[in-house]
Amino acid sequence: MPMSDYIRNLRAMIGTTVLETPTVSVLVFDAQNRVLLVRHTEGNDWTTPGGMIEPYETPGDAAVRETWEETGLFVTLTRIVGVFGGELCSSTYGNGDQVAWVSTVFRGEIVSGTPRPDNEETLEVRYFARPDLDLVRCKPHARLFVEAGWSGQTAAEFQQTTWRPPEPA
């Protein structure tokens, strides 16, 4: 889906400066423990299915909707893998718009559908085995999300905190 009216209106007010958005991603694994990824039209990189949570939408509904839109698969969510943010969760679009996001990453199972790209946001949908990820160009956050899904660790164990209070004067 192209830029939503909501984001278009915000961009009219703030220009290209960084916009922090809430997002979701979904990890779907097949019987061989391969992960489903999509090749995005923006940058031609592989990434997890997902996107922005629209105003008043729940993260779960956004995750199911985004997976459907980008892959043609209707999924049920089985658990939260983690909540991620930071430098790896940022990008600059071709038009100069800067974005950063905090993403709730879910694990999902296919209920119905046939994998297919939407040809607006996604150009290809494919499963990848762990060693195959090194052979393709992925968005930086995609590797973080997928490794968390494969590891089974919780987000707190997987993405360690780095913030510390200032030293006393």
Side-chain angles (χ1 to χ4, degrees), residues 109-138:
E109 292 180 2
I110 298 171
V111 174
S112 63
T114 303
R116 54 102 189 113
D118 69 1
N119 293 316
E120 282 186 46
E121 285 186 277
T122 60
L123 299 171
E124 193 174 351
V125 178
R126 194 167 97 199
Y127 283 97
F128 288 89
R130 204 173 202 157
D132 297 335
L133 279 185
D134 293 331
L135 305 176
V136 295
R137 194 173 76 191
C138 291

Side-chain angles (χ1 to χ4, degrees), residues 65-138:
R65 175 185 54 77
E66 286 284 350
T67 303
W68 171 258
E69 289 174 358
E70 294 184 359
T71 70
L73 298 172
F74 177 56
V75 297
T76 184
L77 304 176
T78 59
R79 72 180 179 93
I80 293 175
V81 172
V83 179
F84 300 89
E87 199 170 321
L88 289 179
C89 296
S90 65
S91 184
T92 301
Y93 289 102
N95 66 0
D97 288 351
Q98 298 173 61
V99 64
W101 58 89
V102 174
S103 190
T104 303
V105 180
F106 295 90
R107 190 160 179 149
E109 292 180 2
I110 298 171
V111 174
S112 63
T114 303
R116 54 102 189 113
D118 69 1
N119 293 316
E120 282 186 46
E121 285 186 277
T122 60
L123 299 171
E124 193 174 351
V125 178
R126 194 167 97 199
Y127 283 97
F128 288 89
R130 204 173 202 157
D132 297 335
L133 279 185
D134 293 331
L135 305 176
V136 295
R137 194 173 76 191
C138 291

